[in-house]
Structures are given as structure tokens and as C-alpha cells.
Amino acid sequence: MLGRKIIKLERVDSTNNYIANLLYDDKIENGTVILADEQTNGKGQRGAVWLSKPAENMIFSIYLSSANLSVKDQFVLTQFISVSVVKTLKKIGLKAVIKWPNDVLINHKKIAGILIENQLTGSSISGSIVGIGLNVNQIDFGELQATSLKLETGNHFSIQEFVFSLLNEINFYWKYIENFEYKTLKDLYLEKLWLLNQRAGFKDENGDFEGIIRGVEENGLLQMERNGEIVFYDLKEIRFQQKYH
Ligand code: BTN
């Protein structure tokens, strides 16, 4: 069972880094979870920082080492974990969507971010550090287009209970990975993908354009229909025009 061992820290640079250090010392088993009240160097995607008020939100990392995934299938982990987060939110009555590749939004505002760091051995993934930051009780995000469980529901939530509920979903969807049922995870991901099959505004290096997201490749590239043709985008190559307003 994933999450059998949970280590709770008050303060750490980054829960993902904490796992990386345990790995370096060979002191971590599959499914170990690290939680923290506060990160001094929380890491976001693409080198960004992840800011989170102390003890108000979920700061969660889990180590996964038994997925038997090959490097070409690494996007399956993104699908698995984002679907698990969306399902956990659904259990408390919140309708969330996934903004490609793995931001979780409610009412166009970001409630959770995911950072997956893989260790590769040849062409296979020998281990993955999966970090999730999810806004729970924080109500002030300054300029950021962000939201939290409290802002969406008006209620205060126990971070610990949310973690247990998330671990239930993670264990549930993990079976699909263990059984190599990647197609099911992809379908579940597409069901929740924001703007799928809807005409919308985007921006790439050549400027603004209108297109329709048609899906994702096995390697995670975004499939975008433009002028009747499918073109592929990698993470840094495209922006969504529609703001999370
Ligand atoms: C993003 O940019 O959206 C990804 C944010 C990921 C934040 C989480 S919080 C727990 C884990 N530890 C980190 O340093 N980052 C991730």
C-alpha cells in the first residue's frame, strides 16, 4: 500500500528534495510520503517557486519506485496523479479540471500544482518523486489567480484528512499503473482536460492564434488543431490565452 509510511516535517527546503536526499542515502521505500507545514524553497514547474503559507495548505511528496514504466511512458504518471487529485476533490463536492499538463483548476483558478521528478536508468524510470501542493485553508493569494478548499466551500478543512482521502485515490488509480492499463488513465485524464475539443485562444512563439485541443500524445505533447491540421506542442512552447479569471 502506498502511503503506509508518512513522515511529517515542520519545515523543510522542499519535500521533493527531502525525498531526493533520502534516496541518495538509500533510505526510502516505495510509497513513502513526506508532508510539511512549510517549505523554504518550494519548487514549482519550470524552475518557478511554490509559495504556500505555513500550515495552511497541503505540501505533499510521495516516492514511487515500482511502476515499471519506460521513459516513453512517463506522462502516464502525470495522468495518474492529476486524475487522483481531481477525484479527491470530487469526493468533497468540488468540480476540478486539469489544465494541460498538470495544473488543477476550480472555476478557472489554480488549486493544486504537481511537480514530478523522475530518476532514469537507461530507458526506464527507476523511481519518481511526485510532489503536490494543494491549497487548503489559505484565503489570500495576492495577485495570483488561485483558490483553495476554504475559498470554494467556505469551510475549514483538516489537511491530514485530505491527505488520507488523496492516498485512497492514489492507491486506487495506482492499480491501473501496476496492471499497465495506461489507456484507461489517459481516458480519465482526457475527460477532465480543460478546453478539450473547444475552440480557444493560445499563444506560441509566432503570436496569438485560435485552436482546438484534441488530446495528448503518449509522450505528453499537446495535440492542437490549427487550420484543420494537428500540430504538437511541448510545455514551454505554448501559453493559454484564457486567463484563470
Ligand atoms: C507547479 O508549479 O504548479 C508545481 C508545484 C508543486 C509544488 C509541490 S509542494 C510539494 C512538493 N515540493 C516541492 O518543492 N514542490 C512540490
Side-chain angles (χ1 to χ4, degrees):
M1 198 190 87
L2 304 173
R4 204 191 325 239
K5 181 165 183 192
I6 299 180
I7 300 173
K8 171 81 198 300
L9 307 167
E10 264 176 39
R11 208 158 184 253
V12 66
D13 57 344
S14 149
T15 50
N16 272 29
N17 289 355
Y18 190 88
I19 291 186
N21 290 335
L22 289 178
L23 263 173
Y24 187 76
D25 296 336
D26 219 2
K27 279 194 196 135
I28 188 159
E29 58 195 63
N30 183 39
T32 301
V33 169
I34 312 295
L35 301 174
D37 282 343
E38 185 182 357
Q39 293 186 123
T40 52
N41 187 22
K43 299 188 294 183
Q45 287 162 29
R46 286 174 278 169
V49 288
W50 182 255
L51 297 171
S52 178
K53 290 201 174 159
E56 294 195 1
N57 302 315
M58 185 187 79
I59 292 171
F60 171 106
S61 295
I62 186 165
Y63 177 61
L64 302 171
S65 66
S66 60
N68 292 318
L69 282 166
S70 67
V71 172
K72 70 175 179 42
D73 292 321
Q74 56 181 293
F75 197 66
V76 170
L77 283 174
T78 298
Q79 293 173 329
F80 145 73
I81 207 74
S82 43
V83 164
S84 301
V85 172
V86 167
K87 190 61 189 295
T88 312
L89 292 166
K90 190 170 177 200
K91 288 251 163 95
I92 48 178
L94 292 171
K95 191 167 179 286
V97 293
I98 302 161
K99 175 173 175 270
W100 178 82
N102 58 10
D103 282 349
V104 180
L105 311 183
I106 294 183
N107 294 328
H108 301 261
K109 294 187 187 135
K110 183 159 166 173
I111 191 154
I114 296 166
L115 179 68
I116 301 177
E117 298 178 286
N118 291 315
Q119 300 168 280
L120 309 181
T121 306
S123 62
S124 59
I125 301 177
S126 39
S128 304
I129 303 172
V130 176
I132 309 172
L134 185 134
N135 303 327
V136 179
N137 294 314
Q138 185 170 334
I139 51 171
D140 179 13
F141 293 95
E143 296 291 290
L144 296 175
Q145 297 296 326
T147 191
S148 64
L149 297 183
K150 179 145 194 201
L151 283 174
E152 293 301 318
T153 64
N155 299 326
H156 186 277
F157 278 80
S158 149
I159 297 171
Q160 186 177 309
E161 274 174 34
F162 189 88
V163 167
F164 287 136
S165 178
L166 175 64
L167 281 170
N168 267 335
E169 300 308 323
I170 286 179
N171 275 292
F172 179 82
Y173 289 108
W174 183 246
K175 289 194 223 96
Y176 292 94
I177 298 224
E178 285 184 323
N179 299 330
F180 302 98
E181 291 178 57
Y182 304 158
K183 169 82 172 60
T184 312
L185 286 170
K186 182 176 178 182
D187 290 346
L188 290 165
Y189 174 87
L190 290 178
E191 262 177 37
K192 301 292 174 200
L193 191 64
W194 186 46
L195 295 178
L196 182 72
N197 296 328
Q198 293 170 45
R199 184 167 292 280
F202 301 91
K203 185 182 185 125
D204 69 7
E205 56 176 9
N206 299 315
D208 295 351
F209 68 91
E210 269 197 349
I212 306 172
I213 295 175
R214 289 299 188 191
V216 287
E217 292 286 285
E218 305 310 311
N219 61 10
L221 293 185
L222 187 67
Q223 298 167 343
M224 175 73 69
E225 185 181 320
R226 281 183 77 169
N227 308 322
E229 273 184 12
I230 299 288
V231 286
F232 303 102
Y233 283 100
D234 206 344
L235 193 57
K236 293 178 195 108
E237 299 170 347
I238 189 162
R239 281 180 169 275
F240 289 59
Q241 289 290 356
Q242 206 166 325
K243 295 266 186 290
Y244 324 145
H245 46 81

